[in-house]
Amino acid sequence: MKKIRAAAVSFLNAWPLTAGLETSERVELVLAEPSRCAAMLEAGEVDLALVSVAALTKGEYDIVPGMAIGADGPVQTVVLAGEQSPAIWDEVFLDTASRTSHVLAKLVLDAMGVHPKFTPSPAAEGLARAKGTKGALVIGDRGFDVHANHVLDLGREWTRLSGLPMIFALWAARPGTVSPEDVQELTRAAQHGLGIRTELAQRFAAQKGGDPEKYRRYLTQRIRYGLGPYELQGLEAFLERAAAKGFLPPMKLRFVDDVVRTKRVRRAVSLDTALQKGADGERLDADEAELLDEKAPLLELGLAADMRRRALHPGDTVTYIVSRNVNYTNVCTTACHFCAFYRPRGHKESYVLTREELTRKIDETVALGGIEILLQGGLHPDLGIEWYEDLFRWVKSKWPVINLHALSPEEIWHIARTSELPLDATIDRLVAAGLDSIPGGGAEILDDEVRRRIAPLKCSSDEWLTVMEAAHVKGLKSTGTMMFGVGEEPRHRVAHLMRLRELQDRTRGFTAFICWPFQSANTRLEPGDGSAHAYLRTNAVSRLVLDNVPNLQASWVTMGGGVAQAALHMGCNDFGQVMIEENVVSAAGTTFKMDSEEVERHIHDAGFRPARRNMKYELVGVPKA
């Protein structure tokens, strides 16, 4: 296999994206300063390069999606420095390492009403000449050691100016030279590198000197590596402002298509046989499940799923739970393309709920008969396991009977990684603090071909399943989920269901399964089929495939009450939860809400008797007539 040749910046902030490529069988890595990386890409000496954003104006390039080097506040390594205030500077010496930072410096100073002469100069020489009314731009690792009377952090100044993140560098490729497999290798390397940032900080300190903890904070708190909707918004704002001022030519971004469409050879199967097997509770294989997903008429599919529901849940009882979704923070580092909820740390709309806010929400939930708090949030870079332990103990001390249904596998994986703990130890500590069960968030589609396209910095399918299995082994129950309609194919959805079924065979830890279609408003991802027809089909197929998962929950939150009522006749035996609060789906444009009376009315009008339950699907009241 011929390796592709890649150039990358040698600065510390690039190490999490490049460390995993040092032993790659697909990528030959060359390290250089940003300006040299850009020159090599332009000259065709490399196939792709981690380059300054401004370097993209020098040719036609394909951008690798999902990954970047950026900041959502102070960046520490892109600074203007001088003896006097920038307000009186008449000349600025520009570090020649990166053209993007040149443009950013000009934009920031222009916004301050300062218009000095700009002179390219090596960093050390520029700093030495930054006397009196002269200033200097310093880029990269040299910024750690800048000491001057006046230091202007350009990451912070850009965020103040625009309210958006700043993107400094991207992986860019010459058109047609990088395959989807190559993009996947870059993604794999990034996932690896982000997991060893503490080790990288220690390695850098050993080589260069300095405090490894300072470098760790820099890599985990200062630098962002996702390229999601908000990062793209910041990037586009930067390019538009730069073009409007004449600092850069107008530029349109173009991304590599990183979906590998390899097809499994399927055997011929009978549609009628597959439907009957599913209705009878016989185990379907992947070929049969894919055929049902693709070809089965909705009515026949729904009838088969309804037969399974009736066999598993005789009678006319449909359950629901009174709980509340509480999103303790919207700060997240993964920048998923499908998410309209997350905000970068430092964004004006970012938050971490206070104890006072949590008290109000939980007290209101209890007053409404709630018995559970579904506690989830983003992957906040500053919250370690001690923060979660303290929170859980506090919740349990004030509301001991509340079931703490908290932290998706993605969050638990993140906590273990950022707290430098083994997964088992992380789960043990969370359980000791009060964790009762785990929601199935973050599964999306458990097929890495899809995950790499919609959320390249998220944990892998294997990692998600590993967390679930570790939790199940320790006695924790959880739900399984699937968000579909993100451009996946039937084979991806079936692969997802098969992986859940395989885990359930081993652990019996899933109490229920819930699926829903992707909600696309306010996101950057093109929607797939999120119609009621697509939802009911996917729901029915799930009931037939997941023969070992006892309960299926209707997703009225995304589909509305009428479609959820239909789902009760196509495989579902549960109406989900009373929606006292919901933030994530509503951020993407869906705002269905119901109280207990409304939930019970929908269940009754669909021909069933409503009954309240707990997370383990044990009834907590007598079914109502």
Side-chain angles (χ1 to χ4, degrees), residues 409-472:
E410 173 81 11
E411 290 168 274
I412 294 174
W413 189 266
H414 171 75
I415 293 167
R417 188 169 63 183
T418 56
S419 301
E420 301 179 66
L421 287 171
L423 176 60
D424 282 346
T426 301
I427 295 174
D428 286 341
R429 288 177 59 171
L430 293 171
V431 170
L435 177 64
D436 293 307
S437 57
I438 297 175
E444 280 57 91
I445 296 291
L446 291 173
D447 186 293
D448 287 338
E449 179 179 314
V450 177
R451 292 175 79 80
R452 277 187 286 264
R453 178 169 53 81
I454 67 174
L457 296 184
K458 209 161 196 174
C459 70
S460 68
S461 300
D462 285 345
E463 289 164 346
W464 190 96
L465 291 161
T466 295
V467 175
M468 279 299 192
E469 184 158 13
H472 291 174

Side-chain angles (χ1 to χ4, degrees), residues 565 599-610 624-625:
Q565 286 176 313
V599 166
E600 291 188 0
R601 183 182 68 79
H602 275 79
I603 293 172
H604 186 268
D605 289 351
F608 298 93
R609 292 192 303 158
K624 298 183 179 181

Side-chain angles (χ1 to χ4, degrees), residues 2 9 14 31 72 87 123 159 183 187-188 225 297 304 324 326 362 383 472 499 519 549 584 613 615:
K2 182 181 178 181
V9 292
L31 298 178
D72 58 359
T159 301
V183 174
T187 302
R188 180 205 62 77
Y225 293 97
R324 183 177 194 143
V326 176
I362 300 176
L383 303 184
H472 291 174
R499 298 205 72 180
Q519 309 297 303
V549 177
V584 178
R613 62 162 175 88
M615 189 270 165

Side-chain angles (χ1 to χ4, degrees), residues 484-525:
F484 65 92
V486 291
E488 82 286 347
E489 299 174 5
R491 63 192 176 93
H492 299 123
R493 292 190 291 272
V494 168
H496 177 109
L497 295 173
M498 292 295 175
R499 298 205 72 180
L500 292 181
R501 191 173 74 181
E502 290 166 4
L503 178 56
Q504 183 74 339
D505 278 342
R506 296 195 298 272
T507 67
R508 299 290 167 173
F510 291 120
T511 60
F513 173 80
I514 314 105
C515 68
W516 64 89
F518 165 56
Q519 309 297 303
S520 63
N522 303 319
T523 75
R524 291 268 182 162
L525 193 64

Side-chain angles (χ1 to χ4, degrees), residues 573-590:
N573 61 288
D574 184 82
F575 211 69
Q577 69 182 94
V578 169
M579 193 52 61
I580 300 170
E581 175 183 357
E582 200 290 319
N583 301 298
V584 178
V585 173
S586 58
T590 300

